[in-house]
Amino acid sequence: MATDPTYPPFEYFDTDNKTIIGWDVDMGNALAASLGLKPQYVPASFETILPGLTSNKYDAGMSAFNVTEERQKVVDFVPYISGGSGMAVLPGNPSKLSMTAATLCGKKIAAQKGTHEALDILPAMSEECTGKGEPPIDQAVFPAQTDANLALLSGRVDGVMADSIPLAYQGKLADGKFELADGGDYEPRLSGIALNKESGLRPAITAAMKAILQSETYSNINKRWGIPSASSISADQVSE
């Protein structure tokens, strides 16, 4: 299972800087146990995981992947959680940013390379700005989420756009040096485990996932990592 360990609470290195821990790891362990398998987590940069799946380098990608139409053209997904995008800002939100294009025109906004935010949301919002005669969003793309967060803390960017759940969690890990801007999730969508379309793993993973979603294991994993109840999904949302 390939994962990018720069994205707490979903996946990140423990204090030994070797062991990968997080929500995806707990879910991966539960899936593997139900299938009688032993999981092996391979650290990889986010944008290389899906190509690695299609080239058979990995069996699965567990790195909080949003399920998008574009990605579904190249890999299969088995969803496991729901959530939207949010904006990380310095305490008090000095630039008054939100997940609306009107507040971002002319601002420097960071995102992680290969994410839905970097590939789709930021470019679309920037076009919205220029379409209204406003300056475009200065889009700063970083290889790791930690790099984007550090750019915010050092004042090199005005905000960071990413999934709202990890952004809020990462702000707490940073002792409140940044926070999630007010407002609900932007475009809530499913996230899930990514699989090679030719692997033949999807039926088994789907069956195992449905069973986990209906068990206490799912709620326990969510509680352990501070996942809000609104982000939980039901087995009915996992298609056969």
Side-chain angles (χ1 to χ4, degrees), residues 167-238:
L167 274 184
Y169 190 89
Q170 290 156 24
K172 291 178 183 177
L173 288 182
D175 296 323
K177 292 177 182 176
F178 65 87
E179 61 191 24
L180 200 63
D182 289 339
D185 283 0
Y186 180 82
E187 293 184 346
R189 56 199 170 273
L190 294 172
S191 294
I193 181 171
L195 304 166
N196 182 313
K197 285 182 176 290
E198 308 301 322
S199 70
L201 291 172
R202 189 167 178 266
I205 296 291
T206 297
M209 186 68 74
K210 281 178 171 285
I212 290 170
L213 293 179
Q214 296 176 86
S215 72
E216 286 188 4
T217 299
Y218 186 54
S219 58
N220 289 339
I221 293 173
N222 286 341
K223 287 176 185 175
R224 180 181 180 189
W225 296 105
I227 305 300
S229 57
S231 296
S232 297
I233 68 169
S234 68
D236 295 337
Q237 291 173 271
V238 183

Side-chain angles (χ1 to χ4, degrees), residues 118-196:
L119 295 174
D120 304 309
I121 300 177
L122 270 175
M125 285 188 172
S126 188
E127 285 187 14
E128 190 177 331
C129 289
T130 55
K132 294 180 178 179
E134 297 290 333
I137 298 171
D138 186 356
Q139 302 167 57
V141 178
F142 292 87
Q145 185 64 38
T146 46
D147 297 330
N149 294 348
L150 285 173
L152 174 62
L153 294 177
S154 63
R156 288 178 287 141
V157 300
D158 298 299
V160 178
M161 189 183 291
D163 289 347
S164 62
I165 294 171
L167 274 184
Y169 190 89
Q170 290 156 24
K172 291 178 183 177
L173 288 182
D175 296 323
K177 292 177 182 176
F178 65 87
E179 61 191 24
L180 200 63
D182 289 339
D185 283 0
Y186 180 82
E187 293 184 346
R189 56 199 170 273
L190 294 172
S191 294
I193 181 171
L195 304 166
N196 182 313

